[in-house]
Amino acid sequence: MRLLIDRDSLQQNKSIIAFKELLEKEKQNITEPGEKEAVLQLFNPLELFLATRNSAQLAHIIKLNVIQSDALEILDYALNAVKLQAQQKEITFNIDVPQQLPMLWADQEKTAWVLINFLNNAIRYSGAHSKIDIGVILNEQWITFKVKDYGKGIAEQYKNDLFKRYFQVPTDGQHKSGSGLSLSISKDFIEAQQGKIWVESELGEGNCFSFSLPIAK
């Protein structure tokens, strides 16, 4: 039993270190004043430790600040956070949003982090001088954020595992694999806010990552 406990603790510690490294990477990529601190304030060490142990109870562990939020403000924040990376690869953002949207229920910081994660992944797997489609869609009682790239795409056998903790899609040697945590934690964040998250992908056609959150009535 002692051996099992030690192995579990080691795995949890590896998770904490990996996610801290992920947040540190986000911090280095963000140039706008105040945004670096906002990324690292998503978790305190205790919350991070508990979240890596039991994601199914994330809503009871992480302190969510779900309020009536402006979807376009969340989008603008995320776009500013990844502006430098996109410019370095001369990637064009094609943005399609309605002129008017109702407010939605969201934790603004954590929702923006998910969107930043989607955008960072899209930039990473897109070639230079390519495009990324970004959309915000009102659909009945939901507001949906979409990020579509035109990279390699994901093989069918990996789609169901993408949001599982520690899962990493095998790379082609050109792109460095991540920690296997960011999409899992994105799923935790969105589902803790009563939202939905999913991916559509075809090999050779790119990826479209989306999440929906309820509108504020």
Side-chain angles (χ1 to χ4, degrees):
M1 178 64 72
R2 178 63 181 173
L3 178 61
L4 291 175
I5 292 174
D6 287 345
R7 290 179 65 183
D8 288 345
S9 297
L10 179 61
Q11 184 61 55
Q12 291 161 0
N13 289 337
K14 286 181 178 178
S15 303
I16 295 169
I17 293 170
F19 191 51
K20 280 185 176 179
E21 290 175 350
L22 180 67
L23 291 180
E24 286 289 356
K25 186 180 297 184
E26 294 288 355
K27 181 181 177 182
Q28 293 169 8
N29 289 336
I30 292 174
T31 58
E32 295 296 322
E35 290 182 357
K36 292 183 178 182
E37 291 74 16
V39 169
L40 293 181
Q41 287 171 359
L42 287 174
F43 285 107
N44 64 44
L46 177 59
E47 288 173 335
L48 178 56
F49 174 74
L50 291 173
T52 53
R53 289 181 63 191
N54 192 347
S55 61
Q57 297 180 357
L58 186 69
H60 302 290
I61 296 169
I62 299 299
K63 294 179 180 178
L64 292 174
N65 182 29
V66 177
I67 60 174
Q68 291 193 31
S69 304
D70 187 328
L72 299 185
E73 287 184 3
I74 293 172
L75 175 61
D76 286 345
Y77 183 96
L79 290 173
N80 285 329
V82 301
K83 181 169 57 179
L84 179 61
Q85 299 97 291
Q87 289 174 346
Q88 289 172 341
K89 297 182 73 172
E90 298 185 32
I91 290 174
T92 301
F93 289 151
N94 294 329
I95 302 172
D96 183 14
V97 298
Q99 290 187 348
Q100 291 186 331
L101 283 169
M103 302 292 278
L104 74 159
W105 290 114
D107 181 306
Q108 294 178 333
E109 285 187 352
K110 294 176 178 61
T111 302
W113 187 90
V114 174
L115 192 54
I116 291 168
N117 181 43
F118 282 4
L119 290 167
N120 276 334
N121 286 341
I123 293 168
R124 182 182 301 121
Y125 292 105
S126 294
H129 312 289
S130 59
K131 67 177 181 178
I132 294 173
D133 297 336
I134 302 163
V136 181
I137 302 165
L138 175 61
N139 183 13
E140 296 182 353
Q141 304 303 311
W142 302 88
I143 290 179
T144 299
F145 294 80
K146 289 180 174 286
V147 177
K148 161 71 176 171
D149 66 64
Y150 294 88
K152 181 180 178 181
I154 301 167
E156 185 69 30
Q157 66 264 34
Y158 302 129
K159 290 182 187 177
N160 291 336
D161 296 324
L162 273 179
F163 294 100
K164 291 182 180 178
R165 197 148 296 213
Y166 313 118
F167 179 77
Q168 297 173 320
V169 176
T171 65
D172 55 10
Q174 297 179 358
H175 302 102
K176 189 174 181 180
S177 180
S179 65
L181 282 170
S182 63
L183 286 177
S184 171
I185 292 169
S186 295
K187 181 175 183 288
D188 289 341
F189 280 168
I190 297 303
E191 291 185 348
Q193 298 176 78
Q194 309 304 312
K196 300 178 285 188
I197 188 169
W198 68 95
V199 62
E200 300 164 89
S201 181
E202 294 293 336
L203 200 58
E205 300 293 330
N207 308 309
C208 183
F209 282 89
S210 306
F211 66 85
S212 295
L213 292 170
I215 66 171
K217 297 180 180 179

